[in-house]
Amino acid sequence: MTPAVGKDTMHRNPQPLTTTTVTVAYAGGDERRGPITMGQANMIRCILRDDPTHINIHDVWPVPEGTTSAAVTDALRALAVRHEGLRTTFPHPPGTAPVDQVVAAEGTFTVTVLDHAELPGDPAEYAESVARAARAGRFALEREFPVRITLLTVAGQPAYVALAFSHAVADGSAMAILREEFAELLAGKELPELTSLPPVDLAAVEASPAGLRKSEASLRYWERILRTGPQEMFAEPRGRRPGTDEEARQLTLRSHRGGRALAGAASRTGHPEATVLMAAWCALVAHRAGQDSCVTAVPSANRFHARVARSVTTTSQDALLHLDVRVETFDALVTRTWGAVLNAYRHSQFDSVRLWEMIDRVTAERGSHFGRDVVFNDVSALPAPLLGTDAQDRDDAEQELTWGPPQALPTRLLAFTYRTAPQLHISLWAAPSVFTAEEAEGFLTGLVLLLEAAAAGDVPMEALAEVTGVRPAERGPDWLRVDGCWVSPDAVCETLGRAVGGLPVRVAEEPGPSGTAEGAPGTGSHLTAYIALGATALTPTEAHRALTALIPAAGSGVLAPHRYVLVENPPTEPDRSDAWRRLNTIDEGTGRSRQV
């Protein structure tokens, strides 16, 4: 059956009859102070740097019919008292980053009430737009209540609560927990005792000797991947837009076929559904990218321990999965995925400041730029639906694809898995520079086809194109596999020429220490850059430093040469590498501070 492709539906947002602001006081908590957590530090770094609409997060909570406004504000007050994270601010002098968090015992927050004569035909989508709009504007970390709350009412009757959260106090899992507890409070239920740690106590665990050892182990794990894995998954001629994020539209798959296939494949292989889905994702990503391995960030992976499973805080630190897909069959990949995912999860707690210092150091030494190209966020196991997706679920279609609104995308491929049963429900954002709309749709339908094939029997990895209909990236013969990365020597030459002020440059492939060449996967070939200095003073170290400064915005397929050879003048035939090799060398070296 061919999936139905939905069209965008536009709604004119209604004008509220009245807009009022209600101040809600809370009291009864404990006043506390302590260091920030690693997850908070990671998010605060982004909050201080990034566009607020990109880093702030939002959710929509439906209000049951017959609920009063007072009951809504009482439930919100109860959540603020219950969870220290909602009473937390981060004092810091201007121009610095916070290092401490302060939990208030009492305080106030405001609720903006928008009263309407009626809501539009799709009220949930309208509420979503109100919540998304509230993400604009940076949270004042040192003083502002970390949630912006809008109550949508119809003739005074509450319908939805639209919220925008500071990512310093909440992540997707925390929002789901709060959403669930809000519904239970409105239903008159008594909430159970808290079992997970509040942020101040979590920070103390992280700062313990065991916590510090775990952080060190995580940094070593990440460094191994950064030194040996592909630096960009989608290294291909059309590549990324230099130096900019892209705007990508949301593409949502709802598939009963996918849900049945995933359950069948999990039953047949004897592995959990989450592992099978991750294996299928990585197999298809690596196949599409033409890579021997898949490097994907898994942001929701760090809530697997009971002490943080239901903490209302941000634990937003990536688990980084590096999965070698060079196996003969899909079943073998599923078995490999199980161990690789556990290893990634174990190494998802780290000092984010030190992580980025390490990333900067390692990529400068390697002459690369690590791209967080692929993100896979499986939130299907959360205790409540996330971001209002339950209001959007349609269980009548066997399989459908629908396009949604665009948003800025700092990655090349981002997926959220909201449900796996009875439907497989995935939203995908694919960068237009590497995925046309048709290719994005084909990727999601190909994922379902792979799961269906895996449910029926083991799938040869060499048959992925035939099974899924997804074709690998096309690269011309001038692209090479160097140091585990796909590289375009022409792009390297052009970028290096700009980096050294337009001096004549030649980039050539040469045998590496293993004595092999031709850039084939697994060989030891590398790139050598020849630079004709003329009267210019330049060292290999200066050339390397100038090039690495340009690499993050240089487009796809740019990796620094392994060796720089400096000569006085270019040869009479500058397009011939052997002519450059015959010239007298003034200086040569890797240019790196560490020999790699």
Side-chain angles (χ1 to χ4, degrees):
M1 176 180 178
T2 301
V5 180
K7 297 181 179 180
D8 292 333
T9 301
M10 302 300 295
H11 296 278
R12 184 180 300 277
N13 290 345
Q15 293 298 316
L17 296 175
T18 61
T19 301
T20 57
T21 301
V22 177
T23 299
V24 181
Y26 64 85
D30 294 326
E31 184 175 345
R32 306 181 70 196
R33 185 182 185 114
I36 60 177
T37 68
M38 292 179 180
Q40 288 171 332
N42 188 41
M43 284 297 97
I44 287 171
R45 177 182 178 276
C46 299
I47 289 169
L48 295 176
R49 179 197 64 193
D50 295 347
D51 185 325
T53 60
H54 297 177
I55 191 62
N56 295 337
I57 54 178
H58 72 281
D59 202 359
V60 174
W61 300 347
V63 179
E65 187 175 352
T67 304
T68 65
S69 295
V72 171
T73 55
D74 285 345
L76 293 169
R77 179 188 294 109
L79 292 176
V81 173
R82 176 176 169 85
H83 296 290
E84 292 185 5
L86 300 182
R87 296 182 275 114
T88 297
T89 53
F90 304 90
H92 61 286
T96 67
V99 294
D100 291 322
Q101 56 183 314
V102 174
V103 182
E106 58 185 29
T108 61
F109 59 86
T110 59
V111 179
T112 300
V113 182
L114 304 182
D115 191 39
H116 306 75
E118 62 178 3
L119 295 180
D122 191 338
E125 184 172 321
Y126 167 57
E128 168 82 7
S129 71
V130 172
R132 184 178 292 275
R135 290 167 60 160
R138 205 176 303 276
F139 276 92
L141 294 171
E142 71 281 5
R143 56 179 171 79
E144 186 177 354
F145 188 76
V147 190
R148 296 168 184 159
I149 307 169
T150 304
L151 176 60
L152 306 181
T153 63
V154 179
Q157 176 65 45
Y160 293 93
V161 182
L163 310 101
F165 289 81
S166 166
H167 218 329
V169 303
D171 54 17
S173 298
M175 290 194 302
I177 293 164
L178 290 170
R179 193 177 205 263
E180 178 188 51
E181 292 184 349
F182 176 75
E184 291 180 348
L185 288 168
L186 293 184
K189 297 180 181 179
E190 184 175 346
L191 299 181
E193 292 293 322
L194 296 173
T195 56
S196 293
L197 296 177
V200 172
D201 294 333
L202 179 59
V205 170
E206 293 174 345
S208 68
L212 294 176
R213 287 195 298 271
K214 184 174 184 178
S215 178
E216 291 295 328
S218 296
L219 293 176
R220 291 193 298 270
Y221 168 87
W222 275 69
E223 184 168 352
R224 284 195 299 273
I225 296 173
L226 292 170
R227 288 196 181 278
T228 60
Q231 291 299 282
E232 51 175 328
M233 285 301 298
F234 298 106
E236 54 189 88
R238 50 183 167 169
R240 72 180 73 192
R241 290 181 181 175
T244 62
D245 293 344
E246 294 187 58
E247 195 171 74
R249 295 176 65 198
Q250 179 179 1
L251 176 62
T252 297
L253 167 79
R254 293 181 179 87
S255 174
H256 281 288
R257 286 174 50 188
R260 292 192 299 269
L262 178 57
S267 175
R268 190 187 65 77
T269 61
H271 284 277
E273 288 187 2
T275 303
V276 174
L277 183 58
M278 181 67 76
W281 168 263
C282 289
L284 203 56
V285 168
H287 167 71
R288 164 62 182 78
Q291 301 278 13
D292 290 336
S293 63
C294 177
V295 177
T296 184
V298 191
S300 62
N302 42 14
R303 282 185 178 264
F304 62 95
H305 197 286
R307 66 175 173 237
V308 293
R310 291 186 63 86
S311 288
V312 173
T313 185
T314 183
T315 61
S316 290
Q317 293 186 278
D318 286 343
L320 189 66
L321 175 63
H322 184 204
L323 182 63
D324 189 334
V325 300
R326 290 175 294 182
V327 292
E328 291 187 0
T329 68
F330 182 72
D331 283 9
L333 184 66
V334 173
T335 300
R336 177 175 288 183
T337 302
W338 171 255
V341 167
L342 289 180
N343 201 26
Y345 285 6
R346 283 196 296 265
H347 296 101
S348 61
Q349 177 185 308
F350 44 77
D351 182 327
S352 60
V353 174
R354 290 190 58 203
L355 175 74
W356 282 103
E357 290 173 347
M358 182 268 289
I359 290 175
D360 289 343
R361 183 184 72 252
V362 169
T363 54
E365 291 169 357
R366 192 179 183 189
S368 59
H369 176 68
F370 172 68
R372 190 174 179 264
D373 276 359
V374 183
V375 181
F376 186 79
N377 206 350
D378 186 349
V379 296
S380 61
L382 293 182
L386 177 66
L387 301 181
T389 55
D390 60 335
Q392 303 168 24
D393 281 333
R394 295 185 291 276
D395 292 331
D396 55 340
E398 180 71 356
Q399 180 158 301
E400 69 173 7
L401 291 170
T402 55
W403 285 97
Q407 70 176 51
L409 189 70
T411 68
R412 308 276 77 79
L413 197 65
L414 166 66
F416 272 80
T417 299
Y418 296 114
R419 298 173 66 187
T420 56
Q423 289 181 324
L424 181 61
H425 180 178
I426 299 177
S427 284
L428 182 77
W429 291 261
S433 64
V434 290
F435 286 86
T436 65
E438 183 179 6
E439 287 171 333
E441 293 175 358
F443 188 89
L444 282 181
T445 55
L447 185 67
V448 173
L449 291 170
L450 175 56
L451 292 172
E452 288 180 328
D458 201 359
V459 179
M461 291 293 286
E462 64 182 13
L464 285 181
E466 178 183 355
V467 169
T468 67
V470 175
R471 303 297 172 187
E474 294 183 1
R475 302 181 180 91
D478 56 322
W479 281 69
L480 308 171
R481 188 77 68 86
V482 176
D483 193 18
C485 305
W486 281 107
V487 178
S488 166
D490 289 344
V492 175
C493 188
E494 188 275 332
T495 306
L496 178 58
R498 287 191 288 116
V500 296
L503 293 174
V505 170
R506 174 70 177 176
V507 174
E509 178 194 10
E510 297 186 344
S514 67
T516 56
E518 302 307 319
T523 71
S525 66
H526 64 230
L527 299 180
T528 295
Y530 295 88
I531 306 173
L533 299 182
T536 303
L538 185 72
T539 66
T541 299
E542 290 168 341
H544 181 74
R545 187 179 299 127
L547 174 59
T548 55
L550 295 185
I551 284 178
S556 191
V558 179
L559 190 75
H562 187 84
R563 190 166 63 107
Y564 299 84
V565 177
L566 309 182
V567 300
E568 184 175 359
N569 295 306
T572 55
E573 297 177 282
D575 293 335
R576 292 178 57 89
S577 297
D578 57 345
W580 286 85
R581 294 186 186 105
R582 289 193 293 268
L583 298 175
N584 291 328
T585 299
I586 297 173
D587 194 4
E588 65 177 303
T590 68
R592 292 144 169 84
S593 58
R594 168 175 165 170
Q595 300 297 305
V596 293

